[in-house]
Amino acid sequence: MVKNEESVRIVIADDHTIFRDGLRRLLEAEPELEVVGEAADGAEAVTQTRQQTPDILLLDLAMPRVPGMDALREISAMEEEVKTKIIVLTAAVERIQIVQALQMGARGVVMKEAATQLLMKAIRTVMSGQYWIGREAVGDIVDFMRTNASGEKPPRNFGLTKREMEILAAIVAGLSNKEIARRFALSEDTVKHHLTNIFDKVGVASRLELALFAINNHLAEQQN
């Protein structure tokens, strides 16, 4: 089938050949989807992603040699090189697994046994810039994590200053650096400097990780 230039380019990473073959046929039956590569383990998934730079990587977590989580971590670190959005395929959706996958850069988590229609919806949802968790689209991942957080933890500020706490709360609220600078009458460079200090103090490497960390440690609530 000839695909148009607007096709969503997909790489499938799963160690079961029969599953990959079946999934390829299902995906390529859709006129806007094109499978451009396959991988049987995490190492091949990384290679295929680097070589093909697909729009979507469907990544099985339970693969030999290099596990899916390790591949996810390595591919996410290549964000300057590739812009691939990763949808994790898993046999069971557990909160801890969702958190770990999202912290490492995944945009969606789909059950391997999910109906074809749900996988198609997940792909289209992720391509639109949202997240897909289990069986539903999630426009605001921070709200999702706040709703699904379990267990109470005593409030700590991890050595953050009052200004850093304010900026952290703004990150959780989804504000950009420019919006934060405007809110607190700061320059964007000053905001970036504060964010670097915050990342170092709490031990995270991205805005998403920071938002999840703040929610899990009830930091944002301290600013309300």
Side-chain angles (χ1 to χ4, degrees), residues 58-185:
L58 298 177
L59 180 66
D60 179 22
L61 291 184
M63 291 190 292
R65 291 179 55 204
V66 177
M69 280 294 193
D70 289 349
L72 173 57
R73 184 183 295 107
E74 186 170 348
I75 293 168
S76 295
M78 299 171 359
E79 60 181 352
E80 295 299 321
E81 180 181 348
V82 298
K83 303 299 182 184
T84 299
K85 295 179 172 65
I86 301 173
I87 297 177
V88 165
L89 302 176
T90 180
V93 177
E94 299 180 0
R95 179 178 175 274
I96 184 63
Q97 195 173 53
I98 292 174
V99 172
Q100 290 174 343
L102 292 172
Q103 287 177 328
M104 291 181 191
R107 300 286 298 190
V109 180
V110 176
M111 296 283 288
K112 293 185 73 171
E113 295 79 10
T116 303
Q117 295 89 336
L118 283 181
L119 178 58
M120 301 304 176
K121 285 182 180 179
I123 291 171
R124 292 174 183 126
T125 297
V126 168
M127 284 299 297
S128 74
Q130 298 188 73
Y131 292 80
W132 182 277
I133 308 296
R135 300 178 60 86
E136 61 181 328
V138 181
D140 189 334
I141 194 63
V142 171
D143 280 351
F144 174 85
M145 294 309 303
R146 182 181 288 116
T147 301
N148 287 273
S150 61
E152 293 295 321
K153 298 180 182 180
R156 296 174 54 195
N157 67 6
F158 296 88
L160 299 175
T161 66
K162 183 176 185 298
R163 176 63 80 197
E164 289 168 348
M165 290 286 284
E166 291 171 340
I167 290 176
L168 182 149
I171 292 293
V172 172
L175 274 63
S176 67
N177 285 358
K178 181 178 292 186
E179 291 169 329
I180 294 172
R182 187 181 303 118
R183 170 175 289 189
F184 298 114

Side-chain angles (χ1 to χ4, degrees), residues 184-200:
F184 298 114
L186 302 171
S187 69
E188 287 189 56
D189 284 343
T190 299
V191 172
K192 291 177 183 177
H193 176 71
H194 281 307
L195 279 175
T196 298
N197 288 340
I198 295 169
F199 285 177
D200 289 343

